[in-house]
Amino acid sequence: MTYLPGLSQPALPTMVAWSPDMTAYNFGPGHPMAPERMDLTARLARSLGLFDLDHVDVQAPETASDAELEAVHSVDYVAAVRRVSADPSRPDESRGLGTEDDPAFAGMHEAAARLAGGSLMAAQGVLEGWAVHAVNFGGGMHHASRDRASGFCIYNDAALAVQRLLDGGVGKVAYIDVDAHHGDGTQNIFWDDPRVLTLSLHETGLTLFPGTGFANEIGGPAAEGTAVNVALPAGTGDAGWLRAFYAIVPQLVAAFEPEVIVSQHGCDSHRSDPLTHLNLSVDGQREAANAVANLAERFCGGRWIATGGGGYNVLDVVPRAWSHLVAIAAGRPVPLRTAVPEDWRHYVAEKFGTVAPALMGDDVELWWRSWEVGFDPNDAVDRTVMATRKAVFPLHGLDPWFD
């Protein structure tokens, strides 16, 4: 068994994209993508002292320009978002605008472009060197494709960050997506680009939207092996999820040799999330962030852009998971047994009439079996891992059985 390792990182210049204006990304009452999750995360991170660290720079993002958005989205699509944003009574369902998942609302373009602006600012900070780590927990809109909205996502800020890095001279980028849903939009945008390795660990499309992300999706003819998908069975918990991550992601990142890592940290893999069927804890999600940070340190000189994503247990899970993400990026990880600050718990009680979690973790025993102990063909997670390893490892010069 492998037990939770510690993380010791230097205090690298860290940018956090945050402004209350980001909560304008609001599909309306009752929609799962509640803007309060961003506000609660920022409040908790501030209460933990993370925004006050000397090396952490909290910046309000600007709205991305049309030209910036068109780096990954079509001109016609951006124009369509603008039209629907100006007149929500005239949806464009052919482009996913005004659907049940993505209801039209006034100001939708500006709100979505501001989230995109946060990830573009992160990429620019890394390119210019004034940020080594950057976090946009309001981003991670990974379902948006080149010309269509999907799955609560209008503009794909993560893809925009990757493209900005490439346009700025970065040779290779690894995109790691740990959301419970397949990162289909980002994968498809870079489907035939050998400079981008997209790795997505998610609940199988057999039981969850968008119904894609299987091991045989490996990239286009010019980029075979650069799309990597781990379609985990419903019910997978910390031990299985972390076994899968460590059996696939470090090996491929090492072989690919990226210069920057961009990651998406949707926390809807939590056992209490109302929309998904995985069984992770906040503790396991924190370890995933630890793992990505360590990969950036080992292979990219620390250069790492982290975004948010899904996560629909707005009070109990999202703020803790993403505050851990900010803390890890800042090189000041918060121990899992840390008490949630009383001022934040009081705010939650007053505003929402509910009792907030007492600790920053879920108080689980976090462990997993390393892949080196052997493949178990009777285990559903192991079969998933082996399917992915067989599909892509040989394309990177790796042995699916022994590497």
Side-chain angles (χ1 to χ4, degrees), residues 7-375:
L7 177 71
S8 177
Q9 287 190 324
L12 298 172
T14 301
M15 189 279 288
V16 178
W18 169 244
S19 163
D21 292 341
M22 294 168 72
T23 61
Y25 194 80
N26 185 354
F27 291 113
H31 192 282
M33 186 71 89
E36 290 84 1
R37 65 202 196 119
M38 287 187 278
D39 176 67
L40 287 168
T41 297
R43 288 176 181 273
L44 180 54
R46 183 174 287 111
S47 290
L48 289 164
L50 300 173
F51 286 0
D52 297 326
L53 296 169
D54 289 343
H55 63 286
V56 173
D57 185 13
V58 180
Q59 293 198 26
E62 301 292 331
T63 57
S65 69
D66 287 10
E68 288 175 321
L69 296 169
E70 289 160 8
V72 304
H73 294 292
S74 71
V75 173
D76 289 346
Y77 175 65
V78 174
V81 177
R82 276 194 171 276
R83 285 195 301 272
V84 174
S85 179
D87 185 0
S89 69
R90 301 180 65 184
D92 187 347
E93 294 192 14
S94 68
R95 297 184 184 275
L97 302 168
T99 63
E100 182 179 359
D101 275 0
D102 298 280
F105 63 94
M108 179 171 65
H109 164 79
E110 291 78 10
R114 189 176 300 279
L115 299 189
S119 292
L120 286 169
M121 180 172 63
Q124 198 63 35
V126 170
L127 285 170
E128 294 176 0
W130 52 265
V132 179
H133 292 168
V135 181
N136 178 17
F137 52 77
M141 303 293 104
H142 63 164
H143 293 308
S145 65
R146 193 171 299 279
D147 55 8
R148 195 174 193 280
S150 178
F152 315 159
C153 305
I154 307 299
Y155 294 131
N156 193 322
D157 63 285
L160 284 162
V162 172
Q163 190 64 52
R164 172 64 62 87
L165 293 168
L166 296 174
D167 292 344
V170 172
K172 291 182 179 180
V173 179
Y175 169 78
I176 302 173
D177 190 318
V178 303
D179 196 286
H181 300 84
H182 176 224
D184 58 333
T186 312
Q187 171 184 283
N188 294 340
I189 287 169
F190 298 109
W191 182 251
D192 211 32
D193 191 333
R195 300 172 297 172
V196 183
L197 177 69
T198 63
L199 303 108
S200 180
L201 289 88
H202 49 266
E203 182 181 333
T204 174
L206 295 175
T207 55
L208 192 66
F209 174 90
T212 56
F214 297 97
N216 62 352
E217 297 172 36
I218 62 170
E224 288 189 347
T226 60
V228 180
N229 288 288
V230 187
L232 294 162
T236 298
D238 291 325
W241 195 100
L242 290 166
R243 175 167 165 81
F245 182 98
Y246 283 111
I248 291 172
V249 178
Q251 296 88 332
L252 289 172
V253 170
F256 187 70
E257 298 182 327
E259 296 170 34
V260 184
I261 288 175
V262 176
S263 54
Q264 196 269 20
H265 294 265
C267 53
D268 47 2
S269 59
H270 193 270
R271 61 196 181 198
S272 67
D273 195 275
L275 300 188
T276 67
H277 316 99
L278 295 178
N279 197 30
L280 270 67
S281 63
V282 167
D283 310 44
Q285 293 171 340
R286 176 183 181 274
E287 171 58 21
N290 271 343
V292 175
N294 282 331
L295 290 172
E297 183 67 24
R298 287 172 58 195
F299 299 111
C300 306
R303 290 179 292 274
W304 173 36
I305 297 169
T307 69
Y312 310 103
N313 185 328
V314 173
L315 299 177
D316 290 351
V317 176
V318 178
R320 289 187 297 156
W322 289 350
S323 290
H324 280 301
L325 178 64
V326 172
I328 289 165
R332 298 291 183 267
V334 175
L336 290 162
R337 295 286 301 172
T338 300
V340 173
E342 278 302 319
D343 64 325
W344 190 84
R345 299 184 78 234
H346 178 75
Y347 176 80
V348 170
E350 288 290 311
K351 185 172 179 63
F352 299 98
T354 189
V355 178
L359 298 175
M360 285 297 295
D362 287 333
D363 201 22
V364 303
E365 182 182 4
L366 194 62
W367 66 273
W368 61 95
R369 294 182 301 124
S370 69
W371 189 251
E372 287 74 15
V373 304
F375 166 59

